[in-house]
Amino acid sequence: MPKLRTIKKLPKLDMNPMVDMAFLLVCFFMMTTTFKEDMPAEISIPFSKAQLKVPSKNLCTITIDKDGKMYVGLDNKFDRKQMLGYVSRTAGVNFTADQAARFSLLSSFGLPLEELPALLDLEKLDRRAFEQTGIPVDKDENELRYWLMGARLANPQLRFAINGDANAQVAEVKRVFDILQDLNITRFNLITDTEKDGPS
Amino acid sequence: MALPELEDIKVERINERESDNKVKKRNLDIDMNPMVDLAFLLLTFFMLATTFSKPQAMELLIPAKPEEQEEQEMAVKESKTISLDLSKDKVIWYQGITDPDTHVVSYQKLESILTRLNGEIDEMVVLIKPLPSSTFGHLVDVFDALNYSEVGRYAMSELSEFDESLESSAGEATEPESTVAP
């Protein structure tokens, strides 16, 4: 019987050091975190030996997925709003204040201009499920050019980065190069991943 | 005496306080487990929401748009140009424009070839000609090789008729490494 009694009494652990450690780690992660952005498309970026870091501020990302669909993303929501203002003025498509506010929360999008209001009217969760068809880059209706121009005007210090899928056609990428060249943006970045197996 | 002595009251109060303190000391033992739960919950959230590997960037400079009036055509000796035709799993390269000898090299060995050519040819100009079967990944590989072999001058160029004829033959060549120049 006396044995049973000792088993019943659980040993008391001092949890304080554990709390200290856990909060220390929480603080560390809070300081260093950059949140993942939700991308409308799955991109497998190519590998390279480049060692530069992608600029974290004033960045405009042009995403090209494996089917050649184009998406544009800006990192700053004020810039996004200004870019939308510019594009709606030049293209003559009007957005309500509510739509503009919702647009400024969109980290990246890829839709023809006429379809954009429809996307913005959706609820947040439906928006994620919405199939985006890419920004048209045809010769006669080059909307990507408008967006990039708008982005450039919204923030003159903007830096451009091309986030292309490794399986995207070179011809599509060349189109983006041409647009950038046309806008006199001669310096930009290609987003790549560090090669896993080191230099070959 | 009806009233108690002053001394007696003091002693009584001090005694009361001491007994109070004893009770509080026992209560100081707070259960930390919920706090640990909370801390670890936050920790998991931040760990999952963090992007660990930040992607690298490759910087690219392209020439400014040529002005309408002035022709920006630069005369380059044919023998100083190297054309790289990018196809699905290999690069076909040749020197010069008219009647060149074509060589085939894999993307992995392109860098060593370029380093060698860069040493041999003074003021070498590399023309990158992506065939329709090539992808963005290949283009990045080539830019990488060019950067690492320190080739200063390269450009993306339009396909000539000769290049287009290579596209059809590109599928036929069997071993990429078989015709690599020594």
Side-chain angles (χ1 to χ4, degrees):
Chain A
M1 278 337 234
K3 261 189 183 175
L4 260 179
R5 219 175 268 163
T6 46
I7 290 168
K8 254 186 194 168
K9 225 182 185 180
L10 283 168
K12 237 190 179 159
L13 279 175
D14 184 11
M15 281 292 172
N16 291 2
M18 190 138 162
V19 174
D20 293 350
M21 184 208 65
F23 272 102
L24 187 82
L25 286 173
V26 168
C27 287
F28 168 73
F29 277 103
M30 269 174 80
M31 296 293 176
T32 56
T33 286
T34 44
F35 286 103
K36 274 180 197 162
E37 284 173 19
D38 53 332
M39 288 295 298
E42 197 71 36
I43 302 290
S44 60
I45 50 179
F47 295 111
S48 85
K49 292 173 223 156
Q51 293 294 321
L52 279 169
K53 282 265 176 264
V54 177
S56 53
K57 265 187 189 171
N58 298 329
L59 184 71
C60 174
T61 329
I62 304 148
T63 305
I64 307 164
D65 77 358
K66 61 179 190 302
D67 306 317
K69 287 186 204 162
M70 310 277 180
Y71 307 84
V72 167
L74 279 177
D75 66 336
N76 185 315
K77 74 179 200 184
F78 301 107
D79 291 351
R80 286 180 203 148
K81 213 167 189 170
Q82 285 201 11
M83 172 173 76
L84 186 74
Y86 170 81
V87 173
S88 73
R89 270 198 306 278
T90 42
V93 179
N94 288 317
F95 292 89
T96 62
D98 198 29
Q99 284 170 336
R102 283 176 168 202
F103 179 82
S104 69
L105 298 176
L106 226 56
S107 64
S108 178
F109 69 96
L111 270 182
L113 198 52
E114 308 98 71
E115 292 174 36
L116 199 55
L119 173 77
L120 295 174
D121 287 338
L122 290 174
E123 286 305 313
K124 198 168 185 218
L125 283 172
D126 297 331
R127 243 182 277 162
R128 202 166 291 173
F130 193 90
E131 183 83 22
Q132 303 207 13
T133 47
I135 298 170
V137 264
D138 301 325
K139 272 259 153 55
D140 45 339
E141 45 166 349
N142 197 334
E143 285 181 14
L144 185 63
R145 192 178 184 283
Y146 285 142
W147 287 113
L148 296 183
M149 181 84 124
R152 181 77 176 198
L153 290 172
N155 183 354
Q157 289 178 318
L158 207 61
R159 305 187 54 175
F160 291 81
I162 296 179
N163 184 18
D165 191 287
N167 293 315
Q169 291 288 309
V170 175
E172 308 286 351
V173 183
K174 187 79 185 1
R175 273 191 196 162
V176 178
F177 283 6
D178 290 343
I179 294 168
L180 289 172
Q181 189 181 33
D182 196 43
L183 294 173
N184 259 323
I185 302 162
T186 56
R187 189 192 195 105
F188 49 86
N189 293 315
L190 302 179
I191 294 179
T192 59
D193 211 343
T194 329
E195 216 139 4
K196 275 180 194 138
D197 45 10
S200 51
Chain B
M1 265 214 201
L3 290 170
E5 281 292 319
L6 208 63
E7 295 276 309
D8 290 347
I9 296 172
K10 262 188 184 169
V11 168
E12 240 171 71
R13 284 210 175 142
I14 287 166
N15 284 345
E16 262 173 44
R17 263 189 213 157
E18 268 176 5
S19 62
D20 268 5
N21 274 354
K22 260 176 199 165
V23 175
K24 267 181 194 165
K25 258 180 195 164
R26 242 178 275 143
N27 277 353
L28 259 179
D29 209 3
I30 308 167
D31 185 9
M32 279 290 176
N33 291 0
M35 193 144 166
V36 176
D37 293 351
L38 177 77
F40 272 99
L41 186 82
L42 286 173
L43 187 59
T44 358
F45 167 71
F46 277 106
M47 276 176 79
L48 291 178
T50 301
T51 41
F52 275 110
S53 61
K54 232 187 150 203
Q56 308 291 309
M58 178 188 280
E59 192 145 278
L60 201 63
L61 280 162
I62 56 174
K65 186 172 51 173
E67 297 288 321
E68 297 284 326
Q69 292 87 7
E70 54 171 315
E71 283 285 304
Q72 271 210 332
E73 299 279 298
M74 256 196 330
V76 176
K77 269 189 185 171
E78 264 189 33
S79 59
K80 293 196 172 179
T81 66
I82 295 291
S83 296
L84 304 175
D85 285 47
L86 321 185
S87 76
K88 213 167 83 189
D89 44 11
K90 56 199 173 294
V91 181
I92 305 161
W93 68 269
Y94 55 86
Q95 187 173 1
I97 304 285
T98 36
D99 229 11
D101 291 338
T102 59
H103 310 271
V104 178
V105 66
S106 66
Y107 282 99
Q108 288 80 35
K109 294 194 176 155
L110 183 63
E111 192 186 318
S112 55
I113 296 277
L114 283 171
T115 314
R116 181 170 64 80
L117 288 170
N118 200 21
E120 284 172 9
I121 306 168
D122 205 28
E123 294 180 342
M124 179 173 76
V125 177
V126 174
L127 304 174
I128 304 166
K129 299 175 178 179
L131 298 176
S133 58
S134 61
T135 63
F136 180 56
H138 297 141
L139 191 64
V140 169
D141 283 346
V142 171
F143 283 141
D144 218 22
L146 286 165
N147 286 338
Y148 272 81
S149 53
E150 288 166 359
V151 176
R153 299 205 286 174
Y154 51 88
M156 286 181 77
S157 154
E158 299 296 319
L159 298 183
S160 66
E161 267 178 49
F162 176 74
D163 296 313
E164 273 158 16
S165 72
L166 285 174
E167 168 77 88
S168 51
S169 66
E172 290 159 22
T174 46
E175 263 298 297
E177 274 91 345
S178 59
T179 42
V180 171

